Amino acid sequence: MKRFFAYLICSLTFTMMIARSEASGKFDIYLCIGQSNMAGRATLTPAVMDTLVNVYLFNDRNFFEPAVNPLNRYSTIRKEIGMQKLGPAYSFARKVSEKSDCKIGLVVNARGGSSIKSWEKGASDNYYGEMLSRIREALKYGRLKAVLWHQGEADCRYPESYKIYICKLVEQLRTDLNMPDLLFVAGEISRWNWTGHTEGTIPFNKMLRSLEDSIPRFKVVSSEGLKPLIDEDDPHFDTDSQIILGERYAEKVLRYNRGK
């Protein structure tokens, strides 16, 4: 029995050494934050349980390991692990890696159900502080290329007040990271009406798109044509829609970070 445990420890140590070796060098890093659709609530099918090629996930030991779903597993603010499923970071990273010679590093730190007020710097939930701490550790391994943001379901009835918070969040993050030109890509929330009020999500998504004209290097990903996980009372995207959404994030990043 002692020999077995000694062998197991040696094997695990060797595996970690290989992972560290594979993950050495500079990364193109992407910070993926927001609420449940970013954390991932779509079904984890066998097709999305592969280990991504040339893509690494920042873990709870502050180094990058080969990326495999669920990608929000190491979030320091997440809900229980069983709730973490498929989000857009998976197909985003897969598509970007196909177009890049660099290693892709993902820092996924989302929290289902979170309001943008909880993401404000200094808020009692400290989601901003947790996110900032993790990305600063990750930047020891490479350069931050973009922030991927998907949040708003918790605040969709108040687009004008949300606008104030999101503008402040982008400005604060760029200041704290000393990256004034950091690309910030936000995804529209679902377009079907699960909200219980007449206008649904239309005013919120309209407000989000308007920010492209007022915030430099702020881009918005469309949710047109995407479908619900369960039914139209559910704000979450299904598996196929999360794949499409992630690829749309990738298209924006590849277009607007060209040459950066």
Side-chain angles (χ1 to χ4, degrees):
M1 184 64 72
K2 289 182 178 179
R3 287 183 178 180
F4 171 76
F5 281 114
Y7 171 78
L8 183 61
I9 291 170
C10 287
S11 296
L12 289 171
T13 302
F14 182 66
T15 300
M16 290 177 64
M17 288 174 65
I18 291 174
R20 284 179 181 270
S21 177
E22 288 178 347
S24 63
K26 293 295 183 180
F27 288 82
D28 280 352
I29 297 172
Y30 297 92
L31 175 61
C32 306
I33 51 177
Q35 61 177 111
S36 55
N37 271 315
M38 180 58 77
R41 295 294 184 263
T43 304
L44 288 168
T45 64
V48 302
M49 292 307 295
D50 55 321
T51 301
L52 287 165
V53 177
N54 214 32
V55 179
Y56 297 83
L57 180 65
F58 199 61
N59 65 22
D60 55 354
R61 297 177 298 283
N62 288 342
F63 70 87
F64 284 97
E65 66 179 37
V68 63
N69 276 312
L71 296 176
N72 200 48
R73 67 175 68 201
Y74 296 122
S75 170
T76 56
I77 60 173
R78 65 167 170 77
K79 294 184 177 180
E80 62 184 84
I81 187 63
M83 296 181 71
Q84 315 311 314
K85 298 181 182 179
L86 179 68
Y90 169 81
S91 54
F92 163 80
R94 186 178 64 184
K95 184 160 187 171
V96 171
S97 69
E98 290 171 356
K99 304 290 184 180
S100 174
D101 295 329
C102 297
K103 294 175 182 177
I104 306 301
L106 298 176
V107 180
V108 189
N109 220 64
R111 166 77 183 189
S114 57
S115 167
I116 195 167
K117 293 179 182 178
S118 294
W119 287 91
E120 185 179 21
K121 184 175 181 178
S124 59
D125 289 318
N126 198 35
Y127 298 162
Y128 183 92
E130 289 290 329
M131 169 268 296
L132 192 63
S133 176
R134 294 202 78 214
I135 193 60
R136 282 174 169 164
E137 286 294 324
L139 286 176
K140 295 174 182 177
Y141 296 88
R143 56 182 181 170
L144 181 59
K145 299 288 287 185
V147 176
L148 277 55
W149 171 258
H150 201 284
Q151 190 278 334
E153 292 89 349
D155 306 282
C156 70
R157 296 193 67 171
Y158 312 101
E160 291 309 310
S161 63
Y162 186 93
K163 185 175 183 178
I164 296 170
Y165 279 97
I166 190 68
C167 290
K168 188 175 180 180
L169 174 66
V170 175
E171 180 183 8
Q172 191 68 67
L173 186 55
R174 287 172 172 173
T175 298
D176 286 340
L177 293 174
N178 194 26
M179 299 180 67
D181 295 324
L182 176 63
L183 179 63
F184 196 101
V185 184
E188 289 184 343
I189 63 175
S190 52
R191 293 193 177 190
W192 60 87
N193 190 1
W194 47 266
T195 66
H197 60 97
T198 304
E199 293 181 311
T201 63
I202 292 172
F204 184 90
N205 284 333
K206 183 178 179 180
M207 173 277 301
L208 206 60
R209 291 191 298 272
S210 75
L211 296 177
E212 290 190 323
D213 296 324
S214 56
I215 305 177
R217 288 182 59 77
F218 182 101
K219 303 301 173 184
V220 177
V221 172
S222 171
S223 64
E224 182 178 4
L226 303 188
K227 298 179 180 179
L229 177 61
I230 300 173
D231 54 36
E232 292 198 352
D233 292 325
D234 184 0
H236 301 111
F237 301 116
D238 67 10
T239 297
D240 290 342
S241 296
Q242 282 286 21
I243 296 295
I244 294 168
L245 183 65
E247 291 174 346
R248 289 176 180 175
Y249 271 103
E251 289 164 3
K252 290 284 184 180
V253 166
L254 290 168
R255 177 179 179 185
Y256 289 101
N257 256 357
R258 189 174 291 118
K260 289 286 183 178

